[in-house]
Structures are given as structure tokens and as C-alpha cells.
């Protein structure tokens, strides 16, 4: 029997109490799609909030129906007997503000015009993203979370949460993340965005009523992104120079090598589930993220943090290298906080946190166990 | 390793850094007996993973590189128990330790211990003892030294030796007579 979960929806901001964004602009209606696993205990002390990464959504674990082939994106981490044990913890995951999987984003209808926002959607930041999640937690009746956790952009949300709402968490898990995006990471995102905005079908972001959508741009962006998520070694082991099919006399400029066909496949499946404008807004929010926020040192910026934390990096992750994690660790240490850091051996690059690795699971299980006491 | 032999040097509620903390035995003892605010550093992923579920605060890192992360005198005490001989640049490590820590404990196997001397004298081979069990070609101990060497070093580097313990045997029995000859293991309490 497959474990089933349902995506729920909640309006967290409306015209009576709009969401004030960092840019000074307002959103008069914000809806969040979210899922929960397990049960909230009587003392409301077993709640864990998960933040997803760029391409994730609220569907973190279990299946939506018995017919589904694939479970949620972090199913190996969440469920009975898994690190985020749904027999012990009440686990929550919401689609981010700006997303396209049920939460308010550029593809949502602007209540003022009755049409999708497109690029009239205001710019959003990581700080903006966590505000609706905070509302959701309050709505669920939770004052203090046992733990927050996130990888990559999810880790940025966790970091910002630990600074913005220090009293609301006991523990925090920062996985494969960074206090700011490196120039290299911004560069890759920038090429991805350029692919979308230079697609003639993008139409300055107002393509929702058009039969032509900037899917070639989005596909290209995803293909570039996907390269940055993989480890050099795992890519070499998986594909090497293997050919996709027998090469005939005509040159095939896109699908000769297996790695090419793999990227094509990844790109094609991504465009079926993701909105190009969401990709633009979210990658912008990631690139703009700056945990320093005007402070001279990271330790100063992290001054409000109280939570016990576990910072994890992966040895082959070159997009969010361990040096970035160590900056966080160093700052937390200087602030005399209870922090643990582990650099987990893995060949799978940045994507390692989305791969079922025993050592990764051991670390998370141990951290949560220690948090309970 | 039984650590109570040197814990008398550590004040209650000190902020302590344990170098090469392994799976956290010393930290647990210091937390229990001294209510210490303990941090650990270890290079091994496996050891760090084992510490996490014990609720200990451990950083996976390299003593040779990662000690300059902390501000001066950040720790009340730095523990370098039986690890100095493993480091690439012991002089640099000691200087780092005494920068980030107000006091430090450095312990090491004394290479001038009489059994080691006899072993070289009569066998003509690199000694292998319970404390130094490795063949020369696979030993992690790359900088072996003696009690006298360490005292000379402290003098040359203007490091103050506040106290010492010389010990021998499995039970770490204290010895005081001719320590460079009779001590198998030495502990020094040092400061700048």
C-alpha cells in the first residue's frame, strides 16, 4: 500500500492584511499550497518545517494516488522509520511564494485585473518567501518548531528563518547551502534567465493567454542548471562518452552522446511542470539573497540565531562548495552556538541532498534524536 | 583514553575546544563533570556522524588548516590530547592553539622513554610499543619528540609551562623521577 498525502491550500494574506514585501510593494492575496505528514502531538512540540529548493514543491513525500509512479521529492527522508519520522514528527512542507505549484506566483491571477500577473508580479526575496510560511505555522497552531530544514535554496530560507524568527525554532538543518550565492552560481543562473527572456515566446512575461510559451528557453535553463547540480565524477561514471544511438551519416547536433539525451530528457520533463516566469523570479531571489544584510561579518548578521544547528555539505558539490557552509559554521561558532558540521562524502554533486545516502540520513536522524532531549 | 588525569586543569563552565575529539568521549566527560561548553574538531566523517546523535557540538575539520577560524582567546581551554605528533606543522598548530585559547593542554608519547631507547639500541629498528604500535611505513605519527624536546621548544617560543604530568603504563601511573627516561606519556599545561 502506498502512503497517500494530499496537497491543501490556505490563504495567508488577503486584501484586509496584505503581504508587505521587502521591495515595498504589496501582494493583496497570498495563497500557499502545503502538505503535512504525521500528527501534531498534544504539546505541539514535534513539528518540523521543510523548505524546498528551486524546482521543488509542497509534495515532499508519499504519493498523491495509488497510480502515481513517483512519490514526493524527499520521500526517502520523510515517512515512518525515516529520518523525518512521520510516526514521531509532524512534518510540514509548503510551496514557496513565487512558485507555480499551487502557491501564489507570477502565473497566479492578479485579483485586481483578473489576469495572470506575468512580470507585473512584484520581485520577491528569500525573506518574503518565509513570511507566508510563518503564517501557515501560526495557522496550524504551532508556536515553536522542533526543527526547520532545507537544502540549497531551502537552506537559505532556513538560514533567514533562524535570523528572522529565532524564538520559533529549537533546531535548524542547513544543507548544501550558502550565506550568499557565489559569482559562479549567479553566472549560471544568469545564463538560464537569459535563455528564457531571449526566447521570442516569452513576450515580456505575458505569454499565459498565448498558444506560444517560452519553453525552449526554460528547457535550456534547466539543462544548464542540471549540469551544475551534478558531480563531475558521477557524471563521468554515469555517462562517460557513451553514445545515445548509432551515429548515422548525418551529424546530430543535439543527441549523439548519452549525456546529451539525458539533459534533453531532464529539460523536457521540467517544462511540463514549471512556469518560466517562476524560474526567473525564484532564481533572482536566490541570487539576491544576502545573509550579511549590511552587517560587516556573518557572525554579526547571525547574532539573533539561538537554535542548535547542523550544517551539512557534500564533498563533490561545486555549486555550493563546503567553504560556503564553513562560513556559516564559523559564524555560528563565534556566536558560541551549539553547531555541528559534517562534510559528507558523495560523488553526486549539489544534488546529493536529493539522493538516498545512508550517511546523510544517519546525520539527520542523529540530529533530530539529540534535539528531542 | 582516560582523560580525568588532566581535567583538574580545566575550570568549571569553561569554554573548551577538543582537538581530534573522536566520537566525543572527552567532551561527554567534561560536560558531565565540569559543565563545560564543549566544542569538538575531528577530521573523520565517521567520528563526526557518531557524535551527532550524542548531541555533541562537533565540526568536521582539519587541525592543520581550520584553527584560525576563531578570534583570539576565544576558548578558555584547548585540548590537544595525543595528536600533536600527527600534525604537519606542530609549531604552527601550537601557536594557533595558544592564540585562540587562553590555556592549552598538550599531551604526547615521549620518544625518549627507556623502552623505546632500548628497542632502538638493541634491536636497531624503529620501536613498536602499545602507544606507538605502527610500522614506520604506515605510522600516522610524523613528528615524534621527547619531553626534553618539548621543554626546549617552549623556552625558544616563549611558551610558559604552568604544570605537567608524567605517566607510564596502561593505567597512566604518575612518574616523577627522570621523566625523560621513565615517562611513557607526558601532559603539559601551557600558556603564552
Amino acid at each position: 500500500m502506498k502512503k497517500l498525502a494530499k496537497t491543501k491550500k490556505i490563504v495567508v494574506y488577503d486584501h484586509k492584511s496584505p503581504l508587505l514585501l521587502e521591495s515595498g510593494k504589496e501582494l493583496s492575496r497570498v495563497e500557499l499550497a502545503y502538505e503535512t505528514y504525521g500528527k501534531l502531538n498534544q504539546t505541539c512540540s514535534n513539528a518540523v518545517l521543510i523548505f524546498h529548493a528551486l524546482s521543488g514543491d509542497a509534495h515532499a513525500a508519499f504519493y498523491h494516488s495509488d497510480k502515481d509512479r513517483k512519490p514526493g521529492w524527499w520521500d526517502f527522508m520523510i515517512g515512518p522509520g525515516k529520518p523525518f519520522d512521520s510516526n514521531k514528527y509532524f512534518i510540514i512542507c509548503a510551496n514557496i511564494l513565487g512558485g507555480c505549484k499551487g502557491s501564489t506566483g507570477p502565473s497566479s491571477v492578479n485579483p485586481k485585473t483578473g489576469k495572470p500577473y506575468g512580470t507585473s508580479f512584484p520581485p520577491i526575496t528569500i525573506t518574503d518567501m518565509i513570511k507566508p510560511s510563518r503564517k501557515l505555522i501560526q495557522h496550524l497552531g504551532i508556536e515553536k518548531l522542533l526543527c526547520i530544514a532545507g537544502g540549497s535554496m531551502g537552506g537559505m530560507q532556513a538560514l533567514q528563518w533562524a535570523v528572522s524568527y529565532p524564538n520559533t525554532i529549537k533546531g535548524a538543518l542547513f544543507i548544501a547551502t550558502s550565506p550568499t550565492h557565489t559569482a559562479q552560481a549567479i553566472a549560471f543562473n544568469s545564463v538560464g534567465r537569459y535563455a528564457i527572456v531571449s526566447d521570442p515566446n516569452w513576450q515580456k512575461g505575458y505569454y499565459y493567454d498565448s498558444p506560444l510559451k517560452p519553453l525552449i528557453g526554460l528547457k535550456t535553463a534547466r539543462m544548464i542548471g542540471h549540469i551544475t547540480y551534478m558531480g563531475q565524477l558521477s557524471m563521468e561514471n554515469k555517462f562517460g562518452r557513451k553514445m545515445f544511438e548509432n551515429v548515422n551519416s548525418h551529424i546530430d547536433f543535439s543527441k549523439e552522446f548519452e549525456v546529451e539525451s539525458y539533459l534533453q530528457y531532464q529539460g523536457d520533463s521540467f517544462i511540463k511542470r514549471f512556469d518560466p516566469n517562476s524560474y526567473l523570479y525564484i532564481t533572482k531571489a536566490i541570487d539576491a539573497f544576502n545573509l550579511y544584510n549590511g552587517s560587516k561579518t556573518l557572525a554579526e548578521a547571525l547574532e539573533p540565531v539561538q537554535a542548535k544547528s547542523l550544517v551539512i555539505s557534500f564533498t563533490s558539490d561545486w555549486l555550493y562548495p563546503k567553504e560556503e557552509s564553513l562560513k556559516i559554521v564559523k559564524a555560528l561558532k563565534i556566536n558560541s552556538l551549539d553547531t555541528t558540521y559534517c562534510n559528507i562524502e558523495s560523488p553526486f554533486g549539489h544534488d546529493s541532498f536529493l539522493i538516498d545516502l545512508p550517511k546523510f540520513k544517519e546525520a539527520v536522524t542523529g540530529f533530530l534524536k539529540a534535539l528531542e532531549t | 583514553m582516560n582523560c580525568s588525569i588532566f581535567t583538574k586543569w580545566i575550570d568549571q563552565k569553561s569554554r573548551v575546544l577538543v582537538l581530534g575529539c573522536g566520537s566525543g568521549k572527552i567532551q561527554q566527560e567534561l560536560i558531565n563533570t565540569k559543565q563545560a561548553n564543549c566544542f569538538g574538531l575531528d577530521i573523520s566523517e565517521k567520528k563526526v556522524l557518531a557524535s551527532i546523535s550524542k548531541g555533541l557540538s562537533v565540526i568536521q575539520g582539519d587541525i592543520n588548516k581550520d584553527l584560525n577560524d576563531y578570534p583570539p582567546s576565544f576558548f578558555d581551554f584547548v585540548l590537544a590530547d595525543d595528536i600533536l605528533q600527527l600534525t604537519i606543522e606542530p609549531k604552527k598548530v601550537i601557536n594557533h592553539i595558544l592564540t585562540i585559547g587562553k590555556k592549552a593542554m598538550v599531551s604526547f608519547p615521549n620518544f625518549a622513554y627507556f623502552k623505546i631507547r632500548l628497542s632502538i639500541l638493541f634491536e636497531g629498528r624503529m620501536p613498536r610499543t602499545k602507544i606507538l604500535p605502527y610500522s614506520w611505513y604506515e605510522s600516522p605519527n610524523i613528528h615524534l619528540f621527547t619531553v626534553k624536546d618539548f621543554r626546549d621548544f617552549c623556552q625558544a617560543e616563549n611558551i610558559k609551562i604552568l604544570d605537567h604530568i608524567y605517566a607510564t603504563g596502561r593505567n597512566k601511573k604518575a612518574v616523577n623521577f627522570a621523566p625523560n627516561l621513565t615517562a611513557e606519556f607526558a601532559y603539559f599545561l601551557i600558556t603564552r
Side-chain angles (χ1 to χ4, degrees):
Chain A
M1 263 283 283
K2 283 174 174 168
K3 280 229 160 238
L4 299 183
K6 219 175 124 186
T7 307
K8 285 159 268 189
K9 284 200 177 187
I10 178 177
V11 176
V12 283
Y13 290 97
D14 57 23
H15 63 281
K16 278 179 263 167
S17 64
L19 168 60
L20 179 64
L21 299 163
E22 262 195 303
S23 63
K25 292 185 174 158
E26 281 185 353
L27 274 172
S28 58
R29 184 188 152 87
V30 175
E31 194 173 30
L32 278 194
Y34 71 99
E35 292 192 10
T36 64
Y37 318 94
K39 284 200 179 87
L40 189 62
N41 64 11
Q42 283 197 325
T43 51
C44 297
S45 59
N46 68 334
V48 175
L49 177 62
I50 309 278
F51 302 106
H52 69 72
L54 168 58
S55 63
D57 53 31
H59 185 35
F62 301 174
Y63 294 82
H64 280 158
S65 86
D66 274 326
K67 286 176 205 148
D68 280 5
R69 259 188 333 115
K70 280 185 176 173
W73 59 271
W74 231 12
D75 191 72
F76 70 89
M77 290 295 280
I78 303 167
K82 295 174 185 174
F84 297 105
D85 192 335
S86 53
N87 290 334
K88 281 160 88 183
Y89 311 119
F90 178 63
I91 303 125
I92 310 145
C93 182
N95 185 212
I96 54 163
L97 173 72
C100 53
K101 301 300 282 294
S103 294
T104 299
S107 58
S108 305
V109 171
N110 179 350
K112 283 176 190 151
T113 62
K115 283 182 175 170
Y117 281 101
T119 41
S120 74
F121 195 74
I124 46 159
T125 64
I126 299 290
T127 306
D128 293 332
M129 283 180 195
I130 61 171
K131 281 184 183 168
S133 306
R134 171 96 178 94
K135 282 270 186 191
L136 168 66
I137 296 308
Q138 286 168 329
H139 164 82
L140 293 170
I142 300 156
E143 260 177 49
K144 189 153 189 163
L145 291 154
L146 177 68
C147 188
I148 53 172
S152 195
M153 182 189 75
M156 291 176 170
Q157 292 170 76
L159 284 165
Q160 190 58 56
W161 186 292
V163 172
S164 298
Y165 313 121
N167 304 319
T168 65
I169 52 171
K170 193 172 175 192
L173 258 161
F174 309 121
I175 306 159
T177 193
S178 178
T180 57
H181 237 192
T182 60
Q184 191 188 30
I186 294 171
F188 279 112
N189 271 350
S190 157
V191 179
R193 282 191 296 269
Y194 184 73
I196 294 171
V197 302
S198 56
D199 185 326
N201 293 341
W202 182 58
Q203 303 165 68
K204 294 203 155 63
Y206 297 96
Y207 51 78
Y208 295 106
D209 297 327
S210 159
L212 302 168
K213 299 188 168 42
L215 299 181
I216 296 294
L218 181 63
K219 181 178 167 179
T220 309
R222 177 61 171 177
M223 286 165 75
I224 296 159
H226 211 85
I227 299 167
T228 67
Y229 306 149
M230 288 190 280
Q232 196 254 346
L233 188 70
S234 65
M235 223 169 155
E236 200 56 35
N237 291 342
K238 193 168 177 178
F239 308 107
R241 294 181 54 81
K242 272 183 270 180
M243 293 294 176
F244 175 60
E245 52 200 12
N246 288 335
V247 186
N248 52 32
S249 52
H250 301 287
I251 300 178
D252 185 336
F253 285 111
S254 63
K255 253 190 184 181
E256 235 169 54
F257 290 100
E258 211 164 280
V259 65
E260 289 178 296
S261 116
Y262 174 80
L263 286 175
Q264 296 272 348
Y265 170 81
Q266 289 295 336
D268 285 332
S269 61
F270 189 65
I271 58 175
K272 287 180 198 141
R273 64 181 177 92
F274 217 83
D275 173 50
N277 282 337
S278 271
Y279 196 91
L280 296 175
Y281 277 88
I282 298 169
T283 55
K284 263 289 179 197
I286 298 171
D287 289 350
F289 179 62
N290 187 353
L291 196 56
Y292 290 83
N293 194 26
S295 299
K296 268 200 207 110
T297 65
L298 199 53
E300 198 183 311
L302 293 179
E303 192 107 49
V305 179
Q306 297 169 13
K308 181 181 164 80
S309 60
L310 171 60
V311 181
I312 292 176
S313 61
F314 296 94
T315 51
S316 56
D317 185 351
W318 53 272
L319 191 62
Y320 289 73
K322 77 164 190 197
E323 287 71 22
E324 297 301 306
S325 286
L326 281 168
K327 285 180 190 168
I328 301 164
V329 173
K330 183 183 164 185
L332 292 171
K333 281 281 169 192
I334 290 173
N335 291 347
S336 263
L337 285 162
D338 191 344
T339 308
T340 292
Y341 166 69
C342 195
N343 187 29
I344 292 176
E345 177 91 39
S346 157
F348 301 110
H350 185 53
D351 258 350
S352 296
F353 77 100
L354 298 171
I355 288 166
D356 190 343
L357 299 169
K359 285 184 285 190
F360 176 37
K361 292 200 288 191
E362 184 189 338
V364 175
T365 306
F367 180 70
L368 287 167
K369 188 182 142 204
L371 267 188
E372 285 175 73
T373 52
Chain B
M1 193 162 289
N2 174 17
C3 68
S4 27
I5 191 165
F6 56 77
T7 50
K8 63 175 182 186
W9 290 334
I10 300 169
D11 294 331
Q12 290 282 327
K13 295 186 177 166
S14 294
R15 184 189 288 168
V16 183
L17 175 66
V18 182
L19 300 177
C21 59
S23 38
K25 235 176 157 180
I26 292 180
Q27 280 144 286
Q28 280 184 314
E29 179 167 340
L30 291 177
I31 289 165
N32 291 336
T33 62
K34 303 274 177 175
Q35 286 81 51
N37 182 9
C38 258
F39 301 89
L41 181 77
D42 204 284
I43 200 166
S44 151
E45 176 198 52
K46 204 175 142 193
K47 298 267 170 65
V48 173
L49 285 173
S51 304
I52 294 175
S53 59
K54 293 176 189 156
L56 299 170
S57 176
V58 186
I59 304 296
Q60 189 183 340
D62 186 344
I63 295 164
N64 295 303
K65 295 182 211 150
D66 299 327
L67 289 181
N68 46 5
D69 278 1
Y70 301 95
S73 299
F74 184 72
F75 296 101
D76 299 311
F77 209 94
V78 180
L79 274 173
D81 187 23
D82 199 12
I83 54 152
L84 202 58
Q85 73 277 9
L86 310 173
T87 60
I88 295 167
E89 292 178 88
K91 180 176 162 179
K92 209 167 119 186
V93 170
I94 292 180
N95 281 324
H96 264 143
I97 288 174
L98 289 178
T99 306
I100 61 173
K102 292 171 193 156
K103 286 181 194 169
M105 189 286 288
V106 170
S107 74
F108 55 91
N110 173 27
F111 205 66
Y113 177 54
F114 78 94
K115 282 189 185 170
I116 290 177
R117 297 192 194 197
L118 291 176
S119 154
I120 294 180
L121 186 64
F122 290 112
E123 287 185 41
R125 292 189 175 89
M126 280 301 279
R128 291 174 70 176
T129 64
K130 279 208 179 89
I131 288 182
L132 299 167
Y134 307 97
S135 304
W136 65 271
Y137 48 83
E138 57 191 8
S139 175
N141 300 310
I142 53 175
H143 281 109
L144 288 160
F145 53 102
T146 73
V147 168
K148 274 190 181 171
D149 286 332
F150 189 72
R151 284 191 173 275
D152 292 348
F153 169 80
C154 288
Q155 198 168 22
E157 292 290 310
N158 284 320
I159 294 166
K160 288 186 207 96
I161 296 173
L162 301 175
D163 201 356
H164 62 255
I165 300 167
Y166 301 121
T168 289
R170 193 183 294 165
N171 301 324
K172 294 270 150 74
K173 212 180 104 209
V175 288
N176 285 308
F177 172 71
N180 202 36
L181 200 61
T182 61
E184 196 172 8
F185 212 83
Y187 302 85
F188 283 93
L189 175 64
I190 55 175
T191 189
R192 182 74 80 184

